[in-house]
Amino acid sequence: MLFRFLLLFVALAYVVNANDQPGRLYTPLHILQNLQKEPPPPPKSEFSTKAVSTNWFRARVDNFNPSDTRTWNMRYIANNQYYVAGGPLLIYIGAEWAISAGWVQGGMPFDMARQYRGYLVYTEHRYYGLSRPTSDLSYANLKYLNVDQALADLAAFIQWFKANVAGMENSKVILFGGSYAGTMAAWMRQKYPNLVTGSWASSAPLKAKVDFFEYKEVMGYAFKTIGGQYCYDRLEQAFAEMERLVAIRDVRRIEQDFQLCIQLDVNNKLDVWNLFSSFGNSLAGIVQYHWPGNIESVCNVMTDSRYRDGMAAFAAWIRSQWGNYCYGHRYVDTLYYYQGTKWGGESESYRQWYYQTCVDFGYFQTSNSTNQPFGSSFPADLYTQMCADAFDRSLTRPAIEGLIAKTNEKYGALDPKVTNVYFTHGSIDPWSAIGVQETQHEASPAYVIPLHSHCTDMYSQSAKDTAEMKVAKEMAWNLVDKWLKE
């Protein structure tokens, strides 16, 4: 507790003591908010005319220990506007975010509930939003936060829901999920085929990986493809120049151009790594949730002839994001947001998700590739060190590698050997690099949508859809229709 207070004191001191800098602090939390969030909910359908309800399911704290009788309330949002007895149960799966009503009032899951007279439900993942199994988020209590427990929650929920809704005893179950929730949708069908008829896994990472350097490679591909070679080159020039300045220990330009709250200590490798990671993550949010105009807006600045080099252009873009703030760039500034153990704190959900990456998935987006423009200054060791510092010293790099290997052994990584799963990815989605992009089994087809990014395919069909997006959505309709008729 004292350490957290000191971290907060240091962060606040930046605002007071930073000389000739803006008077407000831009924190790593602002960057995290752009990366870890619910897939943007779709517009409310014109056919959504009935109020949805928020309800609770009594789940077990430990699904795998029969002697542990503790329970907790798992939140879900339900829409039964079109349900008739015998209709399917359609579940849009929540993951590392708080659920909201949007995904049961619009989008493809809603359209399918309307078409097939189904009951549409949006479930909340344990430890996120208001679904709180334990009294706090201490390391000891986080042991119940893992994908195995979350899948077991869904399995128990499906059985309970079907038993308690009239006319649903023999109903089929279709799952929808995007990002980590897409992973869960695929693994639910793999692990509980007796409960799940079919799953649509959008943008689902299936291969757990500590050194996920491919994320930045796809980011680079996205900037080159959407923004052009010159934009890519200027980004590469920006990171190269910043790394050169660090190497010669002359970082005054970095401090001034990027409005750092205090001096950059080039002798503190964690601070240097954290700063470069922050730069990369600022761009990652643009690519991951790209919509026409997003990447272009970055490249408009990067290629502006008013800026003498790539670093000047990148600094201008960063300042446009940070506004009249100075940036708390130090390692402890980021670590602070992973150390809160109380429910309802300003950084809630970031600690939980980071814990899951440390013990289940890795997914650490590193610079360990020369096939990308973002330099080489944020290695996997930055993120594994943060696991140890945020949670427990036992989470060393070898220990984390071992945990991640177990996930791949259990679920098969990119060879899940599963049927009745539809895998979709956008070609410029960084997560596609560790997802199934080629059909391995005719019963579980894969489709890659050119020039689209993360979780963009579950919105309702639209005349504005590209030809390839239209194909992706038609395939979804055909598969769900087939699964429900089997």
Side-chain angles (χ1 to χ4, degrees), residues 262-327:
I262 63 172
Q263 293 179 338
L264 173 61
D265 181 1
V266 295
N267 294 315
N268 187 326
K269 65 181 182 181
L270 289 175
D271 282 1
V272 173
W273 291 348
N274 191 67
L275 176 62
F276 278 91
S277 174
S278 298
F279 288 149
N281 284 338
S282 295
L283 293 166
I286 299 294
V287 176
Q288 182 167 308
Y289 288 102
H290 170 74
W291 208 253
N294 291 4
I295 291 175
E296 295 92 332
S297 69
V298 178
C299 289
N300 286 341
V301 178
M302 291 305 303
T303 59
D304 193 321
S305 60
R306 290 178 298 171
Y307 304 113
R308 71 179 189 268
D309 60 13
M311 180 177 166
F314 183 57
W317 180 80
I318 283 288
R319 290 194 303 271
S320 75
Q321 304 302 298
W322 295 356
N324 188 33
Y325 286 73
C326 67
Y327 183 63

Side-chain angles (χ1 to χ4, degrees), residues 398-468:
I400 294 168
E401 293 276 8
L403 292 169
I404 272 59
K406 289 181 180 179
T407 299
N408 287 328
E409 291 169 8
K410 190 180 302 179
Y411 294 105
L414 297 180
D415 186 19
K417 292 182 173 61
V418 65
T419 61
N420 286 21
V421 177
Y422 180 37
F423 296 102
T424 55
H425 287 282
S427 68
I428 61 168
D429 177 12
W431 292 99
S432 65
I434 50 174
V436 174
Q437 298 186 60
E438 296 182 358
T439 299
Q440 300 171 348
H441 192 292
E442 63 180 3
S444 290
Y447 188 79
V448 177
I449 309 161
L451 303 182
H452 284 75
S453 192
H454 200 57
C455 303
T456 58
D457 50 356
M458 283 195 180
Y459 300 102
S460 295
Q461 291 169 299
S462 167
K464 296 180 181 179
D465 289 340
T466 64
E468 295 86 357

Side-chain angles (χ1 to χ4, degrees), residues 62-259:
D62 189 346
N63 288 293
F64 307 111
N65 182 1
S67 64
D68 188 340
T69 59
R70 293 175 298 165
T71 58
W72 58 283
N73 288 323
M74 185 181 99
R75 181 168 62 162
Y76 68 96
I77 301 174
N79 186 341
N80 66 353
Q81 178 177 347
Y82 293 105
Y83 174 68
V84 297
L89 171 58
L90 309 176
I91 301 177
Y92 186 83
I93 302 172
E96 73 277 20
W97 55 75
I99 62 174
S100 63
W103 279 107
V104 294
Q105 295 178 312
M108 289 281 279
F110 174 87
D111 298 338
M112 290 184 177
R114 178 169 170 260
Q115 172 70 24
Y116 296 111
R117 298 297 185 255
Y119 206 128
L120 179 59
V121 172
Y122 188 2
T123 56
E124 191 164 67
H125 194 295
R126 59 168 53 208
Y127 285 86
Y128 296 100
L130 297 180
S131 297
R132 302 170 176 178
T134 54
S135 59
D136 62 24
L137 299 169
S138 63
Y139 178 67
N141 278 337
L142 288 176
K143 68 180 179 181
Y144 305 107
L145 173 57
N146 56 65
V147 68
D148 295 334
Q149 292 282 4
L151 295 178
D153 290 339
L154 271 175
F157 173 81
I158 290 169
Q159 295 175 83
W160 169 82
F161 196 86
K162 292 180 65 176
N164 285 274
V165 173
M168 191 163 276
E169 297 84 358
N170 299 313
S171 293
K172 294 185 175 182
V173 178
I174 304 296
L175 304 183
F176 305 84
S179 195
Y180 164 45
T183 306
M184 293 176 63
W187 289 351
M188 276 296 295
R189 170 62 187 170
Q190 181 191 66
K191 194 171 184 179
Y192 300 100
N194 58 315
L195 298 178
V196 177
T197 307
S199 295
W200 183 358
S202 172
S203 300
L206 292 188
K207 182 179 180 180
K209 199 172 191 290
V210 172
D211 189 354
F212 182 22
F213 61 83
E214 295 93 342
Y215 188 100
K216 288 297 186 287
E217 289 183 335
V218 180
M219 277 182 61
Y221 168 77
F223 274 106
K224 186 181 295 186
T225 303
I226 302 294
Q229 183 68 50
Y230 186 52
C231 179
Y232 180 101
D233 292 344
R234 292 270 277 189
L235 282 170
E236 188 169 45
Q237 182 186 57
F239 279 82
E241 177 62 10
M242 289 187 288
E243 290 184 334
R244 186 189 73 82
L245 293 174
V246 170
I248 66 173
R249 310 173 76 82
D250 182 6
V251 293
R252 288 171 296 178
R253 185 184 174 193
I254 295 176
E255 294 165 352
Q256 293 170 4
D257 285 7
F258 294 95
Q259 301 180 167

